Amino acid sequence: RIAIVRSERGRARLELPAGTVLYETAGWLSSPRVSPDGRRVAFHEHPLHEDDRGWPAVVEIATRVKRNLLPEQDSLSGLAWTSNGQEVCFASSAAIRCAGIEKPGVRVVVRGPRRFVLHDMAADGRMLASAYGTQGALVAGEVGGREVDLSWQDVAFPVDFSGDGRRVLHLERERARRF
């Protein structure tokens, strides 16, 4: 059985089978997965478009009752059921977590220095995941001259330049620095 996420008239719809709406939201939905017993669909609900924050949720197919498994999480990407259908595992920023379906609670499976995407899970519990990072250097220099890397962390965004062009204000992971 395949669950489908479809956008229609500015709303995201979770359908199973195609054409039968199980859940609808003004935000967006991602990573739908049917449970091993076929009774539920787990997915990520993101309240704001262009923002990957949100929460893992489950909808009962027979009743169409939806419930959130956890409060809002940062940067959700990928979802998989455990083979016994007792947990839904997902990537949230630099960790992979599993949330209980019948028993509330969450456990951290792995933490890392980079963001994860959970692609799938084997019956024996092995996970297929990838780690990725964003990098963006802030480099200054004159055309044809020497370049100087001004970034201190992984990602730097220029904000403004001084009138004489000798200083730059930029953000690095939500902190402003002036050079």
Side-chain angles (χ1 to χ4, degrees), residues 138-141 146-151:
L138 179 63
V139 179
R146 184 174 74 88
E147 293 183 348
V148 177
D149 185 353
L150 300 176
S151 50

Side-chain angles (χ1 to χ4, degrees), residues 26-118:
W28 62 285
L29 305 173
S30 66
S31 305
R33 292 290 185 105
V34 179
S35 64
D37 64 9
R39 294 179 23 221
R40 301 175 177 110
V41 178
F43 58 94
H44 293 312
E45 182 171 0
H46 310 273
L48 301 173
H49 290 274
E50 307 299 325
D51 189 339
D52 60 0
R53 287 178 295 173
W55 44 85
V58 173
V59 65
E60 302 287 333
I61 295 171
T63 63
R64 298 183 187 174
V65 173
K66 177 250 185 188
R67 64 187 164 97
N68 297 339
L69 297 177
L70 294 171
E72 187 173 284
Q73 305 287 302
D74 288 334
S75 188
L76 293 171
S77 54
L79 183 144
W81 286 90
T82 56
S83 62
N84 63 9
Q86 298 299 308
E87 293 179 305
V88 170
C89 301
F90 58 94
S92 176
S93 294
I96 296 177
R97 298 174 170 86
C98 295
I101 301 300
E102 301 298 331
K103 296 178 184 176
V106 64
R107 65 185 173 97
V108 176
V109 177
V110 65
R111 276 190 209 279
R114 308 181 98 190
R115 291 178 179 239
F116 286 105
V117 177
L118 178 60

Side-chain angles (χ1 to χ4, degrees), residues 129-141:
S130 56
Y132 70 96
T134 55
Q135 293 184 338
L138 179 63
V139 179

